[in-house]
Amino acid sequence: MEVALELVNASFVLALLSWIVIDILKRRKHHNGSHSHSDVIPDFKHSVGGGGVRASGAIVAIFNVIIFIFYLGFGFYDYWIHSFVSTKLVCSAVTWFLASLVSVLSKNRTFRDRKRWPLVLVLWWVFSCILVSFSVVVYVIHHLKSKDLPYYLPEANIVDIASLPFLLLLCCCLPLAVNRNSDLQRPLLHKEDEKFSKDDDTAFASAGIWSQLTFRWLNPLFERGRVEKLELHHIPQVPDSETADKASSLLEESLRKRKADYYLLPKAVARTIWKSLAVNAVFAGLNTIASYIGPFLITSFVNFLSEKHDGSSYQYGLVLAFIFFFSKTAESLTQRLWYFGAHRIGIRVRAALTVLIYKESLSTKFVCYSNGKITNLINVDAERIGDFFWYIHGVWLLPIQVLLALVILYRNMGAAPSFAAIFATILVMVSNTPLASRQKRLHSKIMEAKDARTKATSETLKSMRVLKLHSWEPTFLKKLLQLRETERNWLKKYLYTSSAVAFLFWASPTLVSVITFGVCILVKTPLTSGTVLSALATFRILQEPIYNLPELISMIVQTKVSYDRIQEFLGEEVQRKFISDHGAKASHVAIEIEPGEYAWETDSKDIKKPTIKITDNLKILEGYKIAVCGSVGSGKSSLLCSILSEIPRISGAAIKVYGKKAYVPQRAWVQTGSIRENILFGKDMKKAFYEDVLEACALNQDIEMWDNKDMSIVGERGMNLSGGQKQRVQLARAVYSDSDIFILDDPFSAVDAHTGTHLFKKCLKGLLSQKTVIYATHQLEFLDAADIVLVMKEGLIVQSGKYEELIVDSNGELVRQMNAHRKSLDQVNQPQEDDSLTGGLCQISQTEVIEEKHGEPNCNDKLFESSQEEETETGRVKWSVYSTFVAAAYKGALVPVIVLCQVLFQGLQMGSNYWIAWATEENRNVSREQLIGIFILLSGGSSIFILGRAVLLATIAVETAQRLFLGMITSVFRAPISFFDSNPSSRILNRSSTDQSTLDTDIPYRLAGLAFALIQLFSIIILMSHVAWQIFLLFLAILGISFWYQNYYITTARELARMVGIRKAPILHHFSESIAGSTTIRCFGQEDRFMEKNLSLIDDFSRVAFHNSSTMEWLSVRINFLFNFVFFLVLVILVSLPRSAIDPSLAGLAATYGLNLNVLQAWVIWNLCNVENKMISVERVLQFSNIPSEAPSVIEDCRPKPDWPTKGTIELENLQVQYKPTLPVVLKGITSTFLGEKKIGVVGRTGSGKSTLIQALFRVVEPSGGRIIIDGVDISTIGLQDLRSRLGIIPQDPTLFQGTIRTNLDPLQQHTDQELWEVLNKCHLVDIVRRDQRLLDAPVAEDGENWSVGQRQLVCLARVLLKKRRILVLDEATASIDTATDNVIQETIRKETCRCTVITVAHRIPTVIDNDLVLVLDKGMIVEYDKPKILLEDRSSWFSKLVAEFLRSSKSNHPKNLV
């Protein structure tokens, strides 16, 4: 056999020598060739960007040189010892020398010309790898089993074993020759953007085997992270397979193939990822096998140390050390690749499911899922399914792990003890199962409680302005704290149950070992230190699957639930946007309305009749203008939705619409982005037409006021725009779309009379004159321009026809409405009125628009722009964050106790293990009873301390989380309104939900885990150093290198972790925004554009998450290798030391603990980094715990009398207000008195200061000068709660809360049902409430979506009338109410507030014409303040001009036959 191998060696020597000679001849031949080519090649090679590949080529050459040095060195050693060198060593050394030479010569050519390694070199690598592997196997079998094998089989020597890892790596590098994304494969002439775009996109895709094994492809990212703060554009793209587009396409294709299958989604996902899953399974299996090699060999190693060894056995010890090192390295690498692969699969599945859910929710109409539930599908269910791929291999690995443990135990101890150990393991698993079930139940309860709290928090944050104006925030805070207390109680139970599980986890090796060794003593199985330590190492490995089994079962169940929830959502049988072809349309017909019934709640038993019932056919011709009118709740909006197919049809034929549609909803929907983006809405810019649209929609003046013109940013839900501005922006969006059919839902309600007239003339009768327009309105002056008027009442079209025909019917619904309208106008008509006033008076310019929003627009613009990017900390998390967190609970008093418990646990555990290893040596005279008794005593003591540690840690965790939550939520509720204007609710909610969850269940255990792991690590170092002091020096060096790596890593990892948190929010925000505007998006046919934006946001998150997890693996690979190497050196030292210098039991114990050294050190470093990443959540929570607070709620020394205010007199003395010191003064020294029990109307153009005055009255903005006195009390001297609770206000945007009618009318629960019914009757809501059998307990949906806007305004009015305040502020409280209802409501307000001071900010002239006084503001100063009659007598007064314009626009449309 040896002769044959030497002949093969000689053949390779000749072949390699021939290749070298031929290569040298070729080089000489081309030496005088074209220098230009040789000059170009290096530069081009450099430009290719294959730095990682060239480095891999150098590593391959180095490996060859290392193996040559091994054989050469061993040859000299052999000659030194025996004065003789074997032929095998000489042949091997010569062949490896030539192989090294060939690899060096061919390295540059291989990577320059993208060619493969020379065939002769590849064959030599493969042959050597197979031969050496076979030799090592023969050696191991021969020495471990003590079996005599045939003499002709080759047996490995020490150099063969040392070379084997390098040979395996060389074989792995074979596919590395060609870079798949080489520039050579691209055309020479290509676009500039292709050349420079996405330079780093292929960092992972183009990485070679070696680079992927060691994660070297991340090095450029780390280098950049060291020199500058990482931004999103620095992060390379994810691999193509992980992109949202590719992943979702594959999943959709798989779903289409498996339509009939009940388990459609799980199988479709499995079909999509099965290849990656299979590769990952291979790594998981190899990792499991490698992890059991250590416990398998530890007996042989301890036995070796116990024997007196000569030269040959010394070599045997080194071989064992090499095998340990090789197995630990293989275990580390396969584990890293396994985890990395699982994370990649998770990213892919998560992205695919998110896209599918988004696509479904965007294209699905009237689905029964709420916005919050759909968001949960993405935020919770898709996330959970993605995480499941970390656990999936545990299903089949668990039986393999138990089987391997059984084999090792059987080999060392025999049948009875091994089966006893397995029985004990199963017993622990069974014991853990009820705890795990309880954990799962409690976790579900926590999630339910958290969902309830998060939902309440979200609604509260969105309505914070209303809450503060009504002084309800203490009540709502109390509700939130009650919800948090419920959550805290479940959390406490969950964490204490987790303490029991943790105790079982740490005590399980002790319990299993006590039972196993007890059985050994009973059956008199001989115990040696080797078999004992091998068993202990095996029990420690079994600890993980014992602990993970319940979690695995729980994860499978939770994942199935998530799959079912998503599948149920994706499988909803709902109508789609694209309706089937309507066939050939009739000539010039735009819409065909056919009889049918429509209802929002098709399955509700409490609803007595359909929302809309159409009884007649109606054809709407192209170019027609259709007006829809009716009282509040008559079904106008529902009719428009039925035309859009946005309301479920329960009977009849579908409404047919021919042509492109545009839609303007009653509740304005604008996107976060610039004004221009909102108007263009995906269309190309046509400058002339764009300018015409801005002019027609009266947006020019607003745009001119903003610093960035039409590039000014619109905030979340348009929060920095007034109601009128939002309405006009979305009207401009519709007009610019240049569609065929326009459906406008009450487009004039949020604007004043002049602007309404302007919009009607310039839009409806101007740019849209040739278009089909259907508009719902309460402004009856706009009806006569319509070709057809539809009059709605209680869901029916009671009248339809031309305006002139309908007003002839004196008993008709329209005439009733018009009579109310005339009555409203009669309030404004003046005895002095003549043609010069109504017709000849100068036109009111567009600048005299009266609409305004809380906060002047010219001030708000910069304010919001600064808030668009979330504020983040940079650099390391400050030590003050750690100290605050640690000292939050009991001032940190329990922390030293917990650390002491861990130290005592570690000491007793090591002591028990050493005792049983020492006592089982042959020369110890220890009885069996003494042996097991002391072992049980020491082990039991360690278990008690671990239980104490777990319970104390749970106590600290609960208390710390609660204190930080209270600090944050209290600070947020005490923050001024400006804080909520500049911080989107999603940003605050993220801290209250995601970050708080991390605080509740994660960070305390991460921080404690780091401390515990450090204690374990130091205890092992102390143990090993006690065996051999030289080991301590090794550890110092390795720890230094490890911490250098950690510092190098953390700079980049910290920023990536911050970016992960930041990049998740835009996905949820875009999703929420898209769902809110889904009707508009579908109507405009913009689904594809929104889908592209969604794909882009998901990819942005995926690339950050992908590289965040990859960096962790990068660090772990390096740290693992360092400590594997240290472990190897420790074993070499133990082998080298003489028998007399070491205690075999202690040395064996050190080796046993050393098996976990790499995992433990990686755990320490990982925790060090992860703790800092997780502490960012604490940092973010503390950031919102120190918000500058508004004035105190109550000032005890300055509390007003209980009956204050008694008269309601308001005095303004030189009142000056500015929003910021850097911004201009808005109110400029206003001095005036509002007499008690008077009605004061406040009017003025945009930016005049009307809303600022109201905000100053409620101290939303504090005066910068002057003061406001109410009934003799300076309001700046009393607490905010005392002030705001004594005032009443109805804001412009009606706000309802999810709950019932009762809780919306009376949030503080201070009134009886009788009082509630009385106020409902006054506001004409009784009939509406009685439609539902649940009456006052009828549900109100999120944001009051199941009520019309007009109905919501009536509820807000009822809410204020119920409070009976002396001072009442109406901010256009009836803008969305029809004239007839408005007249009745105004009469109710006059009657109910006869002894109140009423301040009305008005857009409608009839609202203020009968007031006692009118205050006219302009540019922050009072222009006029007097009785309306006196102001109207002066034809040149500002108020007269305003009334004239209103009369001119309304009078022209007023039917003369009704006068």
Side-chain angles (χ1 to χ4, degrees):
M1 185 70 174
E2 288 185 9
V3 174
L5 292 176
E6 287 170 10
L7 287 173
V8 174
N9 250 337
S11 303
F12 274 110
V13 167
L14 289 173
L16 291 166
L17 196 59
S18 302
W19 188 94
I20 293 168
V21 171
I22 293 168
D23 187 68
I24 291 170
L25 291 174
K26 282 183 180 179
R27 287 171 184 267
R28 285 187 177 181
K29 182 177 180 181
H30 294 288
H31 180 69
N32 296 320
S34 171
H35 290 286
S36 61
H37 179 68
S38 63
D39 291 341
V40 167
I41 284 176
D43 291 337
F44 181 74
K45 176 190 73 175
H46 186 71
S47 73
V48 166
V53 178
R54 292 196 304 277
S56 299
I59 289 169
V60 167
I62 290 168
F63 281 179
N64 282 273
V65 173
I66 288 172
I67 296 173
F68 160 65
I69 292 171
F70 278 176
Y71 278 101
L72 185 67
F74 193 71
F76 279 114
Y77 173 79
D78 208 32
Y79 181 75
W80 181 265
I81 299 297
H82 303 107
S83 300
F84 171 78
V85 181
S86 68
T87 315
K88 176 190 171 184
L89 277 175
V90 173
C91 289
S92 297
V94 171
T95 315
W96 277 110
F97 170 74
L98 294 173
S100 303
L101 197 58
V102 170
S103 64
V104 170
L105 290 172
S106 62
K107 175 175 69 73
N108 288 336
R109 191 202 65 175
T110 298
F111 292 97
R112 181 188 68 210
D113 300 338
R114 316 315 255 183
K115 292 184 178 179
R116 298 193 179 279
W117 292 103
L119 180 61
V120 63
L121 187 60
V122 172
L123 290 174
W124 170 245
W125 289 343
V126 174
F127 169 75
S128 299
C129 186
I130 294 171
L131 178 64
V132 170
S133 299
F134 182 69
S135 303
V136 169
V137 170
V138 170
Y139 179 88
V140 170
I141 292 172
H142 178 64
H143 283 76
L144 292 184
K145 296 295 184 181
S146 301
K147 291 183 179 179
D148 292 329
L149 296 172
Y151 72 93
Y152 52 80
L153 291 180
E155 194 169 319
N157 54 30
I158 187 70
V159 74
D160 288 334
I161 295 168
S163 303
L164 182 58
F166 295 100
L167 284 167
L168 290 171
L169 288 172
L170 281 174
C171 289
C172 289
C173 292
L174 292 180
L176 190 62
V178 179
N179 185 345
R180 289 168 293 183
N181 293 310
S182 166
D183 289 10
L184 290 170
Q185 295 174 338
R186 302 176 187 166
L188 292 176
L189 296 174
H190 55 280
K191 294 179 182 177
E192 202 66 22
D193 61 342
E194 287 179 0
K195 181 178 179 181
F196 295 106
S197 69
K198 299 183 181 178
D199 291 333
D200 296 324
D201 289 0
T202 56
F204 172 75
S206 62
I209 296 294
W210 178 252
S211 183
Q212 289 193 17
L213 274 175
T214 59
F215 296 87
R216 287 188 67 256
W217 52 273
L218 284 168
N219 286 358
L221 186 64
F222 279 109
E223 288 165 13
R224 185 180 286 275
R226 291 280 287 177
V227 297
E228 61 180 308
K229 182 185 175 183
L230 286 180
E231 303 289 348
L232 182 64
H233 62 271
H234 294 143
I235 313 299
Q237 297 290 339
V238 289
D240 185 55
S241 60
E242 272 75 59
T243 58
D245 189 26
K246 181 69 176 289
S248 61
S249 299
L250 289 172
L251 183 54
E252 282 185 280
E253 184 182 345
S254 183
L255 280 169
R256 280 195 294 271
K257 290 177 181 177
R258 309 183 70 88
K259 282 183 181 176
D261 198 335
Y262 176 74
Y263 295 105
L264 177 64
L265 189 60
K267 290 185 178 179
V269 170
R271 184 186 177 92
T272 306
I273 59 165
W274 73 268
K275 290 182 181 176
S276 302
L277 211 54
V279 171
N280 213 30
V282 170
F283 288 131
L286 290 174
N287 174 260
T288 301
I289 293 168
S291 67
Y292 277 89
I293 291 176
F296 182 76
L297 293 178
I298 199 72
T299 307
S300 303
F301 188 76
V302 173
N303 290 341
F304 165 78
L305 293 178
S306 302
E307 297 167 0
K308 291 185 178 180
H309 44 75
D310 51 17
S312 61
S313 60
Y314 171 78
Q315 184 178 339
Y316 172 60
L318 290 179
V319 169
L320 284 176
F322 272 121
I323 295 173
F324 272 120
F325 174 66
F326 177 71
S327 65
K328 295 304 290 180
T329 303
E331 180 189 346
S332 301
L333 285 176
T334 51
Q335 187 179 56
R336 302 279 60 89
L337 294 169
W338 171 16
Y339 289 174
F340 177 62
H343 194 78
R344 283 186 65 189
I345 294 170
I347 286 174
R348 190 185 313 172
V349 172
R350 196 179 298 121
L353 290 174
T354 303
V355 171
L356 254 63
I357 293 166
Y358 180 83
K359 187 179 290 186
E360 186 77 11
S361 58
L362 198 59
S363 61
T364 299
K365 300 180 179 184
F366 40 81
V367 72
C368 59
Y369 283 72
S370 68
N371 193 338
K373 283 186 177 178
I374 300 174
T375 305
N376 267 345
L377 293 179
I378 286 178
N379 214 15
V380 177
D381 295 300
E383 197 79 24
R384 184 177 290 147
I385 291 171
D387 291 341
F388 176 65
F389 295 99
W390 287 86
Y391 300 87
I392 191 169
H393 297 300
V395 176
W396 60 272
L397 281 178
L398 180 61
I400 292 176
Q401 287 172 311
V402 173
L403 180 64
L404 288 172
L406 186 62
V407 168
I408 293 172
L409 292 170
Y410 181 78
R411 172 180 174 265
N412 288 326
M413 296 182 172
S418 57
F419 282 106
I422 297 302
F423 170 76
T425 302
I426 294 169
L427 180 66
V428 173
M429 286 183 181
V430 171
S431 304
N432 208 3
T433 303
L435 287 173
S437 300
R438 177 177 164 80
Q439 240 183 338
K440 182 192 166 190
R441 282 198 311 275
L442 291 172
H443 189 264
S444 299
K445 293 291 186 183
I446 290 173
M447 293 309 296
E448 287 173 16
K450 195 183 296 294
D451 284 347
R453 177 178 62 81
T454 303
K455 194 174 183 181
T457 307
S458 174
E459 192 171 46
T460 303
L461 292 174
K462 286 192 287 187
S463 311
M464 188 57 79
R465 180 180 291 276
V466 173
L467 296 183
K468 283 189 175 288
L469 291 175
H470 287 291
S471 191
W472 286 344
E473 73 270 29
T475 303
F476 277 73
L477 176 59
K478 188 177 178 182
K479 287 182 181 177
L480 276 184
L481 293 179
Q482 286 172 350
L483 290 169
R484 171 63 186 178
E485 187 60 31
T486 304
E487 182 187 358
R488 179 172 175 257
N489 288 333
W490 290 119
L491 179 67
K492 190 185 293 185
K493 292 176 182 176
Y494 173 79
L495 291 180
Y496 282 129
T497 305
S498 299
S499 300
V501 173
F503 165 71
L504 207 56
F505 171 71
W506 289 104
S508 59
T510 300
L511 180 64
V512 174
S513 56
V514 165
I515 291 174
T516 306
F517 297 145
V519 171
C520 286
I521 290 170
L522 285 174
V523 299
K524 298 183 179 179
T525 300
L527 289 175
T528 65
S529 55
T531 56
V532 163
L533 292 173
S534 176
L536 290 173
T538 306
F539 299 151
R540 198 170 289 117
I541 290 183
L542 267 180
Q543 184 180 13
E544 201 70 29
I546 290 171
Y547 179 71
N548 285 341
L549 178 64
E551 188 180 359
L552 176 63
I553 295 168
S554 172
M555 194 67 188
I556 291 170
V557 172
Q558 289 178 37
T559 305
K560 185 184 181 305
V561 170
S562 292
Y563 267 126
D564 291 344
R565 278 160 54 92
I566 293 176
Q567 184 164 307
E568 183 185 359
F569 175 73
L570 296 178
E572 284 280 322
E573 292 183 12
V574 289
Q575 297 183 28
R576 299 290 175 153
K577 167 185 175 277
F578 299 106
I579 306 167
S580 58
D581 186 15
H582 298 310
K585 77 167 184 173
S587 176
H588 303 299
V589 173
I591 301 172
E592 290 183 42
I593 300 176
E594 298 190 14
E597 292 185 350
Y598 300 82
W600 289 110
E601 298 182 53
T602 55
D603 56 347
S604 177
K605 297 175 183 177
D606 298 302
I607 304 302
K608 300 173 183 175
K609 63 178 183 178
T611 310
I612 294 291
K613 186 175 183 179
I614 300 172
T615 55
D616 299 314
N617 288 313
L618 181 63
K619 291 186 178 180
I620 298 172
L621 301 180
E622 291 176 353
Y624 265 38
K625 306 294 181 286
I626 311 298
V628 183
C629 65
S631 59
V632 171
S634 60
K636 301 182 296 299
S637 298
S638 297
L639 177 65
L640 300 186
C641 286
S642 68
I643 294 172
L644 293 169
S645 300
E646 292 290 340
I647 176 172
R649 187 177 78 251
I650 55 179
S651 68
I655 295 175
K656 299 174 182 176
V657 181
Y658 305 100
K660 291 190 299 178
K661 304 184 294 294
Y663 176 53
V664 176
Q666 184 178 18
R667 186 162 189 171
W669 177 77
V670 289
Q671 283 181 271
T672 304
S674 69
I675 296 289
R676 179 183 294 180
E677 287 170 349
N678 270 282
I679 295 173
L680 295 182
F681 206 55
K683 289 194 167 288
D684 296 330
M685 167 66 88
K686 297 175 184 176
K687 193 66 179 175
F689 182 49
Y690 180 73
E691 294 296 338
D692 290 342
V693 170
L694 293 183
E695 167 64 25
C697 295
L699 281 169
N700 280 332
Q701 182 223 354
D702 302 278
I703 288 173
E704 286 302 316
M705 282 188 351
W706 296 322
D707 289 345
N708 292 326
K709 303 300 185 267
D710 63 345
M711 296 308 292
S712 296
I713 298 297
V714 176
E716 184 186 24
R717 304 186 310 277
M719 69 181 184
N720 55 340
L721 297 180
S722 71
Q725 287 168 335
K726 285 187 279 190
Q727 193 78 341
R728 286 182 282 126
V729 166
Q730 66 168 358
L731 182 60
R733 174 176 66 210
V735 175
Y736 190 82
S737 70
D738 198 25
S739 300
D740 303 308
I741 298 161
F742 291 81
I743 297 171
L744 316 178
D745 194 353
D746 204 8
F748 313 116
S749 64
V751 297
D752 62 280
H754 168 75
T755 309
T757 304
H758 177 93
L759 294 176
F760 189 78
K761 286 185 176 179
K762 295 287 186 178
C763 278
L764 265 72
K765 298 176 76 173
L767 290 178
L768 303 182
S769 59
Q770 303 301 314
K771 306 288 187 179
T772 305
V773 181
I774 304 176
Y775 60 97
T777 183
H778 291 303
Q779 278 79 358
L780 303 183
E781 60 266 26
F782 299 131
L783 293 184
D784 72 331
D787 297 294
I788 298 175
V789 176
L790 303 179
V791 184
M792 302 289 298
K793 185 177 181 181
E794 296 182 355
L796 296 169
I797 300 175
V798 293
Q799 287 182 284
S800 65
K802 291 188 176 296
Y803 174 77
E804 293 80 7
E805 297 170 358
L806 297 181
I807 60 172
V808 175
D809 182 3
S810 59
N811 296 320
E813 177 69 16
L814 180 61
V815 170
R816 191 184 72 80
Q817 295 280 333
M818 292 304 297
N819 283 331
H821 183 58
R822 178 182 58 78
K823 183 180 177 182
S824 176
L825 284 180
D826 287 346
Q827 297 175 26
V828 185
N829 280 328
Q830 309 158 41
Q832 302 93 334
E833 180 184 356
D834 58 25
D835 291 340
S836 66
L837 182 62
T838 59
L841 203 62
C842 60
Q843 296 292 315
I844 305 295
S845 68
Q846 186 182 327
T847 59
E848 293 174 13
V849 174
I850 318 176
E851 52 168 318
E852 185 178 6
K853 197 235 176 221
H854 294 293
E856 308 304 311
N858 56 343
C859 299
N860 259 21
D861 184 48
K862 284 186 179 178
L863 176 66
F864 189 80
E865 284 185 36
S866 65
S867 76
Q868 288 305 296
E869 285 300 323
E870 183 170 349
E871 179 187 347
T872 60
E873 302 287 343
T874 56
R876 298 188 71 94
V877 175
K878 297 179 179 62
W879 282 110
S880 60
V881 176
Y882 288 94
S883 61
T884 303
F885 182 79
V886 171
Y890 312 109
K891 298 183 179 179
L894 292 181
V895 174
V897 181
I898 291 175
V899 172
L900 180 63
C901 283
Q902 175 65 23
V903 171
L904 291 171
F905 158 73
Q906 194 66 36
L908 287 171
Q909 190 187 50
M910 281 187 163
S912 66
N913 291 343
Y914 176 64
W915 161 257
I916 200 159
W918 176 84
T920 49
E921 288 185 8
E922 291 179 9
N923 55 348
R924 312 291 181 194
N925 293 320
V926 178
S927 67
R928 288 175 176 268
E929 293 77 14
Q930 193 178 2
L931 171 71
I932 198 70
I934 294 177
F935 179 71
I936 291 173
L937 191 65
L938 292 171
S939 299
S942 70
S943 299
I944 289 169
F945 283 114
I946 209 69
L947 180 62
R949 185 200 80 179
V951 171
L952 290 174
L953 184 56
T955 306
I956 283 184
V958 172
E959 186 66 20
T960 302
Q962 185 68 4
R963 285 182 179 273
L964 291 178
F965 175 79
L966 288 174
M968 176 184 66
I969 204 71
T970 306
S971 176
V972 167
F973 268 71
R974 293 289 302 131
I977 287 291
S978 58
F979 170 79
F980 300 96
D981 287 341
S982 58
N983 285 280
S985 60
S986 58
R987 188 177 299 169
I988 307 170
L989 197 61
N990 214 14
R991 284 164 169 81
S992 176
S993 57
T994 308
D995 291 320
Q996 186 62 43
S997 294
T998 308
L999 259 70
D1000 285 344
T1001 56
D1002 204 355
I1003 296 180
Y1005 292 90
R1006 298 280 184 201
L1007 207 55
L1010 172 62
F1012 301 157
L1014 280 171
I1015 291 169
Q1016 279 186 285
L1017 180 65
F1018 289 136
S1019 64
I1020 292 174
I1021 292 173
I1022 292 167
L1023 174 64
M1024 290 183 168
S1025 303
H1026 182 68
V1027 175
W1029 63 267
Q1030 300 92 333
I1031 295 170
F1032 183 72
L1033 301 177
L1034 275 176
F1035 272 112
L1036 286 179
I1038 294 300
L1039 283 172
I1041 298 170
S1042 298
F1043 284 111
W1044 180 87
Y1045 265 126
Q1046 188 262 345
N1047 284 324
Y1048 180 79
Y1049 155 88
I1050 196 63
T1051 313
T1052 301
R1054 187 192 303 120
E1055 298 308 322
L1056 284 170
R1058 284 188 174 124
M1059 287 169 74
V1060 166
I1062 291 170
R1063 286 293 146 195
K1064 188 66 180 285
I1067 297 174
L1068 299 176
H1069 175 71
H1070 177 71
F1071 186 86
S1072 180
E1073 195 172 62
S1074 300
I1075 301 305
S1078 58
T1079 302
T1080 306
I1081 295 166
R1082 285 194 292 268
C1083 186
F1084 282 81
Q1086 293 287 315
E1087 294 99 319
D1088 290 344
R1089 185 169 67 87
F1090 275 76
M1091 179 56 68
E1092 285 176 14
K1093 176 72 181 296
N1094 186 53
L1095 292 173
S1096 172
L1097 290 172
I1098 293 171
D1099 283 344
D1100 286 346
F1101 174 73
S1102 293
R1103 70 204 269 202
V1104 175
F1106 176 83
H1107 288 89
N1108 185 45
S1109 68
S1110 304
T1111 51
M1112 184 65 72
E1113 304 305 334
W1114 178 93
L1115 180 69
S1116 298
V1117 162
R1118 282 147 183 78
I1119 301 301
N1120 281 347
F1121 178 78
L1122 280 174
F1123 276 81
N1124 287 335
F1125 187 65
V1126 166
F1127 180 54
F1128 168 67
L1129 293 178
V1130 167
L1131 296 179
V1132 170
I1133 291 172
L1134 292 177
V1135 167
S1136 306
L1137 288 173
R1139 172 70 177 81
S1140 57
I1142 59 170
D1143 178 354
S1145 299
L1146 198 59
L1149 186 65
T1152 305
Y1153 274 97
L1155 289 174
N1156 288 332
L1157 195 59
N1158 65 321
V1159 177
L1160 187 59
Q1161 175 56 21
W1163 178 242
V1164 168
I1165 297 296
W1166 185 81
N1167 259 323
L1168 266 176
C1169 304
N1170 207 35
V1171 159
E1172 181 158 12
N1173 293 345
K1174 293 290 182 182
M1175 285 299 288
I1176 292 169
S1177 289
V1178 180
E1179 180 183 75
R1180 284 158 56 85
V1181 167
L1182 291 176
Q1183 197 179 56
F1184 275 16
S1185 300
N1186 299 298
I1187 305 164
S1189 176
E1190 58 183 359
S1193 296
V1194 175
I1195 301 174
E1196 291 297 339
D1197 297 337
C1198 299
R1199 299 205 70 174
K1201 294 178 181 179
D1203 60 345
W1204 177 88
T1206 53
K1207 295 180 180 178
T1209 301
I1210 303 171
E1211 300 172 60
L1212 310 177
E1213 295 183 359
N1214 191 29
L1215 182 64
Q1216 300 173 40
V1217 175
Q1218 62 182 138
Y1219 285 91
K1220 285 184 178 180
T1222 55
L1223 294 175
V1225 177
V1226 180
L1227 295 182
K1228 303 169 183 176
I1230 288 179
T1231 301
S1232 183
T1233 301
F1234 298 167
L1235 296 175
E1237 301 182 7
K1238 297 291 184 183
K1239 310 292 184 285
I1240 296 98
V1242 180
V1243 295
R1245 66 182 62 173
T1246 301
S1248 62
K1250 301 187 304 298
S1251 289
T1252 303
L1253 176 60
I1254 301 304
Q1255 291 188 78
L1257 181 63
F1258 282 83
R1259 288 179 65 191
V1260 171
V1261 184
E1262 296 287 353
S1264 55
R1267 60 180 184 161
I1268 301 174
I1269 298 172
I1270 298 178
D1271 282 0
V1273 176
D1274 184 347
I1275 65 170
S1276 63
T1277 62
I1278 62 175
L1280 291 181
Q1281 187 174 345
D1282 284 336
L1283 170 66
R1284 292 169 181 170
S1285 63
R1286 311 295 176 90
L1287 308 177
I1289 184 170
I1290 305 177
Q1292 183 179 355
D1293 293 328
T1295 302
L1296 297 189
F1297 307 99
Q1298 187 165 21
T1300 63
I1301 296 170
R1302 187 195 310 279
T1303 57
N1304 270 279
L1305 286 174
D1306 184 22
L1308 306 186
Q1309 299 177 356
Q1310 296 174 336
H1311 301 276
T1312 64
D1313 281 7
Q1314 183 181 349
E1315 290 175 304
L1316 299 184
W1317 282 113
E1318 284 176 5
V1319 81
L1320 286 173
N1321 189 47
K1322 290 171 185 175
C1323 295
H1324 298 263
L1325 284 167
V1326 170
D1327 291 339
I1328 297 169
V1329 173
R1330 289 194 188 279
R1331 288 180 191 172
D1332 194 306
Q1333 295 173 356
R1334 290 164 287 190
L1335 302 177
L1336 292 175
D1337 293 317
V1340 176
E1342 191 176 356
D1343 295 328
E1345 288 293 347
N1346 57 339
W1347 290 61
S1348 73
V1349 177
Q1351 289 169 338
R1352 286 179 231 167
Q1353 284 191 323
L1354 291 177
V1355 173
C1356 291
L1357 176 63
R1359 189 189 283 160
V1360 169
L1361 293 180
L1362 199 62
K1363 291 171 70 175
K1364 299 176 182 176
R1365 299 292 181 238
R1366 280 284 180 184
I1367 298 174
L1368 178 62
V1369 177
L1370 308 179
D1371 189 358
E1372 196 52 37
T1374 56
S1376 296
I1377 297 173
D1378 63 278
T1379 312
T1381 308
D1382 188 22
N1383 288 340
V1384 178
I1385 293 302
Q1386 293 299 336
E1387 183 62 35
T1388 302
I1389 291 174
R1390 280 191 285 272
K1391 180 182 176 182
E1392 294 295 320
T1393 61
C1394 59
R1395 299 193 61 195
C1396 301
T1397 304
V1398 180
I1399 303 170
T1400 305
V1401 177
H1403 296 168
R1404 290 180 179 182
I1405 293 302
T1407 310
V1408 295
I1409 199 68
D1410 66 337
N1411 283 187
D1412 299 309
L1413 295 162
V1414 172
L1415 177 72
V1416 182
L1417 291 173
D1418 185 42
K1419 297 180 180 177
M1421 294 182 288
I1422 296 176
V1423 178
E1424 297 166 356
Y1425 181 45
D1426 214 328
K1427 296 179 180 179
K1429 184 177 180 180
I1430 294 173
L1431 292 176
L1432 288 172
E1433 288 173 355
D1434 181 1
R1435 303 291 178 81
S1436 63
S1437 72
W1438 199 97
F1439 187 64
S1440 291
K1441 294 177 184 178
L1442 183 64
V1443 171
E1445 173 60 23
F1446 173 76
L1447 288 172
R1448 189 190 60 75
S1449 62
S1450 301
K1451 188 76 174 175
S1452 59
N1453 295 323
H1454 191 62
K1456 294 179 181 178
N1457 64 325
L1458 293 177
V1459 177

